[in-house]
Amino acid sequence: ELFEGLRLRWICKRIGFERIILKGNKLRCYFIDNPQSSYYESPQFQKVLQYVAGSGKKEGLLIKKSTTNLMLIHENIRSLEKAKILLNRIAAEINQ
């Protein structure tokens, strides 16, 4: 589990997430905290948005804004392995 957690963090960094939480079968991936970050104007962030707009419903992905963070959410992720598969799919799609 520890190694799977590390692999997930590496994948998340490639996508642009600062942190992830998998709790209660809900995966929350937090984008960079700084709203002024150049990441939000990057082609990579645009590809993430396009991926969620195109495949988000089928994949069960949502982008939500809390009072302080922008996050990608997926319900019903029951293991680190399932989270890794999902995030690898997103990373592969946006890094084409």
Side-chain angles (χ1 to χ4, degrees):
E1 292 287 314
L2 178 63
F3 290 118
E4 286 300 318
L6 288 173
R7 287 182 189 100
L8 270 178
R9 287 178 186 223
W10 294 335
I11 297 165
C12 287
K13 292 281 184 203
R14 285 191 351 226
I15 296 171
F17 300 126
E18 276 190 330
R19 63 187 168 114
I20 68 166
I21 296 174
L22 178 58
K23 185 176 177 182
N25 296 330
K26 183 185 258 187
L27 177 67
R28 291 181 189 94
C29 303
Y30 292 82
F31 288 98
I32 296 169
D33 275 343
N34 180 3
Q36 303 302 318
S37 171
S38 61
Y39 170 76
Y40 290 109
E41 295 179 18
S42 72
Q44 185 170 359
F45 180 66
Q46 296 305 313
K47 287 181 181 180
V48 171
L49 293 179
Q50 289 171 354
Y51 183 83
V52 172
S55 301
K57 189 172 184 177
K58 178 181 75 170
E59 294 271 359
L61 298 170
L62 299 168
I63 291 187
K64 289 194 175 178
K65 173 89 170 100
S66 71
T67 55
T68 57
N69 293 93
L70 184 64
M71 63 188 113
L72 180 84
I73 297 176
H74 188 291
E75 304 274 344
N76 299 319
I77 294 282
R78 301 188 194 289
S79 69
L80 290 177
E81 179 64 25
K82 298 268 187 203
K84 186 177 88 171
I85 290 168
L86 171 69
L87 293 172
N88 267 328
R89 198 166 38 241
I90 294 170
E93 188 70 30
I94 68 167
N95 290 314
Q96 288 184 6

